[in-house]
Amino acid sequence: MEIINRRQRMGSVARKIRRDQDRTIGLVPTMGALHEGHLSLVREARRMCDVVVVSVFVNPTQFGPSEDYEHYPRDLTKDTALLTDYNVDYIFAPAAEEIYPKDFCTYVNVGGLSKPLEGATRPGHFRGVATVVAILLNTVRPDFAFFGQKDAQQAVVIKRMVRDLAFETEIVVLPTVREDSGLAISSRNLYLNAEEQESAAVIHRGLKQAKELYKKGERHAAKIEEIVRTTIESEPRARVDYVSVVDAESLERLEKLDERPLLIAVAAYVGKTRLIDNVLLNKVKKDAPASKG
Ligand code: AMP
């Protein structure tokens, strides 16, 4: 395994793999502080691709001025040890100036999809995400790039960017990995103390109840949002930022629900830590392989 810090070196290594060796490349973009969620993406990348690149980059442009950029957990030594065990070929870990030189001025804005949900509380967040992912995709030119359903809106934004700007990478979105309690694993869970960790499991309980309600026939978004909100806020340490039932592709909020793919997205504070989670309803099933004869 090689750790690459320079964008130019990453680009030339990837070019050589594609040209001389004709092998497929999988990219797993991360901000480090790796956990089981990230590792599930790495495992799938390893299974699907000949060469696996994991990027570790705490991207300054996706953090708001009062957010946790400075304090975000960083431990490249530990991340490197983990990725060695997973047989990763390259870690791309550039410094911020390597990605954003002094006179950097080009940003990618994925229109309306960046505005609701996380975008409403975190203006500029998805501009930062889309911009850095565009740079990573252009540097590595992977055949596949792997993202987690945990960050549902991010996955939708990236898929749309890739389609609209004709990137040649296929985006693979993998299920949310959870603790036994149901809490979605996240690098920010490190901010939670033991009691808060326990309390935070209420978020997933709220989402599961919403799913049940929908299965039983409830089709009013407001009713479903209310059950998630009251369940979460029954926990004194938790406070909901938003709960919203939206079209899983356009992210438009719906009043009356139907049978299309739907996303129930939540952001909630547990103590001072802001966590996000979601569930999908009416997931699009992958096409079954064509049967012969
Ligand atoms: P991050 O380092 O938080 O930017 O996450 C890097 C990638 O890992 C993103 O595509 C996330 O959606 C994904 N990810 C983070 N947590 C999880 C999780 N619990 N399950 C699945 N994927 C995850």
Side-chain angles (χ1 to χ4, degrees), residues 184-230:
I185 299 180
S186 161
S187 306
R188 289 193 169 98
N189 293 354
L190 291 170
Y191 299 151
L192 303 171
N193 64 32
E195 292 84 44
E196 289 170 340
Q197 283 250 0
E198 226 168 90
S199 307
V202 79
I203 299 173
H204 186 237
R205 284 204 297 279
L207 287 168
K208 272 203 316 206
Q209 284 192 17
K211 201 168 178 170
E212 283 308 309
L213 208 59
Y214 178 83
K215 272 197 197 151
K216 286 193 187 132
E218 180 58 64
R219 291 294 180 267
H220 292 95
K223 272 270 162 55
I224 290 188
E225 288 161 356
E226 187 188 303
I227 188 105
V228 180
R229 184 177 287 274
T230 47

Side-chain angles (χ1 to χ4, degrees), residues 133-147:
V133 172
I135 296 168
L136 292 170
L137 294 182
N138 277 333
T139 304
V140 178
R141 307 218 164 204
D143 298 273
F144 300 94
F146 298 82
F147 292 85

Side-chain angles (χ1 to χ4, degrees), residues 28-38 40-41 62 72 146-152 154 174-178 184-188:
V28 183
T30 80
M31 299 206 298
L34 300 180
H35 52 62
E36 268 306 313
H38 299 114
S40 72
L41 307 183
Q62 72 187 66
Y72 196 85
F146 298 82
F147 292 85
Q149 179 58 33
K150 155 80 171 38
D151 298 280
Q154 170 171 283
L174 296 170
T176 302
V177 179
R178 300 179 179 280
I185 299 180
S186 161
S187 306
R188 289 193 169 98

Side-chain angles (χ1 to χ4, degrees), residues 253-265:
R253 184 170 182 282
L254 304 165
E255 296 284 345
K256 196 88 173 63
L257 306 178
D258 50 28
E259 316 309 309
R260 75 180 94 180
L262 299 167
L263 176 74
I264 311 178

Side-chain angles (χ1 to χ4, degrees), residues 3-6 54-57 76 91-95:
I3 302 178
I4 298 177
N5 303 116
R6 299 268 178 227
V54 176
S55 60
V56 175
F57 180 63
L76 189 58
I91 299 179
F92 180 42

